[in-house]
Amino acid sequence: MFRIAPSILSADFANLGRDVKAVIDAGADWIHFDVMDNHYVPNLSIGPAVAAAIKPYCVSSDGATVPLDVHLMVQPVDEIAVAFAKAGADLITFHPDAERHVDRTLQLIRDQGCQAGLVFNPAMSLGVLEWAIDKVDIILLMSVNPGFGGQSFIESTYRKIERVRQLIDSTGRDIRLEVDGGIKPDNIARVASAGADTFVAGSAVFNEPNYKYVIEQMRGSLDQLAKG
Ligand code: DX5
Ligand code: ZN
């Protein structure tokens, strides 16, 4: 099942609760929450208090919980990951190059009752997965360099998605493959056909006045692909 995860990095921060609700009413499956520390990445965004504040808005009109997908671009990871779990995160992903003891951090996140995942920058090799994939619920591939919304999709990501799809299939486990950066209605089908099942989109959604229209366009491309 495909999931569309709008990144609230491009939302209206002066009206965040309203925007989270609006994008869920427009069809968002997950809310993607980008955490930047001006250390691991050259930008600063939002922290656990903001996650706790928007959590009550992460509910669909039929009352279902909409997962809060926290992408940590911070170094170190452990303490802030626990703070986000307590703030209501459902999934927490981190960059393995930002924490010394990757296995321990994955376990720590799972012990908090969250799904845990690893994020790979465009030039980062996938080597750590050889020994960590058993503790991973989600793999997030960056299709831009992290730190900013509104950048262009890096082409080599398609090959990387194919590689990770094979790896996941070889485990036989249910691991999500999420892609983040530069995703728009006109490339989402290609990202999906390479093997991704979860799509982060920030500027493509929030820079348009009609969120529903963009999400429906994306869903339409994915449906067409599913039909063959
Ligand atoms: C970049 C963030 C992304 C970003 C995506 O560091 O991780 O989630 O918001 O934004 P767009 O969709 O505009 O590339
Ligand atoms: Zn992100």
Side-chain angles (χ1 to χ4, degrees):
M1 264 286 266
F2 294 129
R3 300 270 189 279
I4 296 175
S7 160
I8 57 168
L9 189 64
S10 294
D12 176 1
F13 279 175
N15 292 288
L16 206 47
R18 186 203 66 188
D19 252 7
V20 168
K21 185 177 181 323
V23 85
I24 289 171
D25 290 346
D29 298 305
W30 292 5
I31 294 296
H32 185 80
F33 191 104
D34 285 306
V35 185
M36 303 176 179
D37 66 350
N38 190 37
H39 171 69
Y40 181 72
V41 289
N43 198 0
L44 191 62
S45 65
I46 41 182
V50 178
I54 65 159
K55 181 69 177 176
Y57 295 88
C58 295
V59 185
S60 67
S61 53
D62 56 8
T65 300
V66 174
L68 188 57
D69 172 31
V70 173
H71 172 195
L72 295 179
M73 288 161 273
V74 304
Q75 185 173 20
V77 177
D78 289 1
E79 264 185 59
I80 205 77
V82 172
F84 272 103
K86 294 197 189 327
D90 296 285
L91 303 103
I92 299 179
T93 57
F94 67 97
H95 292 247
D97 45 311
E99 187 56 70
R100 225 169 247 144
H101 305 292
V102 171
D103 179 272
R104 177 191 288 155
T105 305
L106 287 168
Q107 192 58 53
L108 179 73
I109 293 169
R110 287 177 144 196
D111 288 347
Q112 296 292 314
C114 298
Q115 294 196 43
L118 295 176
V119 193
F120 295 89
N121 287 331
M124 185 58 60
S125 94
L126 301 165
V128 67
L129 284 176
E130 184 176 5
W131 300 107
I133 202 159
D134 290 351
K135 286 193 177 133
V136 159
D137 302 297
I138 177 163
I139 296 168
L140 172 52
L141 295 182
M142 292 308 298
S143 37
V144 297
N145 287 293
F148 304 94
Q151 304 178 79
S152 304
F153 191 96
I154 294 172
E155 286 283 312
S156 59
T157 314
Y158 292 117
R159 258 191 316 125
K160 207 172 193 181
I161 298 168
E162 287 167 8
R163 182 83 60 87
V164 174
R165 171 48 60 201
Q166 284 171 358
L167 253 171
I168 290 175
D169 290 349
S170 72
T171 68
R173 286 188 47 235
D174 181 19
I175 299 172
R176 286 226 151 245
L177 176 42
E178 183 176 33
V179 179
D180 184 1
I183 295 184
K184 311 208 167 325
D186 63 8
N187 63 6
I188 195 167
R190 189 165 168 210
V191 177
S193 53
D197 52 36
T198 305
F199 311 89
V200 177
S203 52
V205 174
F206 285 103
N207 291 0
E208 287 293 329
N210 189 337
Y211 306 157
K212 190 163 191 227
Y213 177 71
V214 187
I215 293 174
E216 277 174 2
Q217 268 189 309
M218 290 181 163
R219 191 104 49 206
S221 306
L222 294 171
D223 284 349
Q224 256 185 326
L225 187 78
K227 282 191 204 124

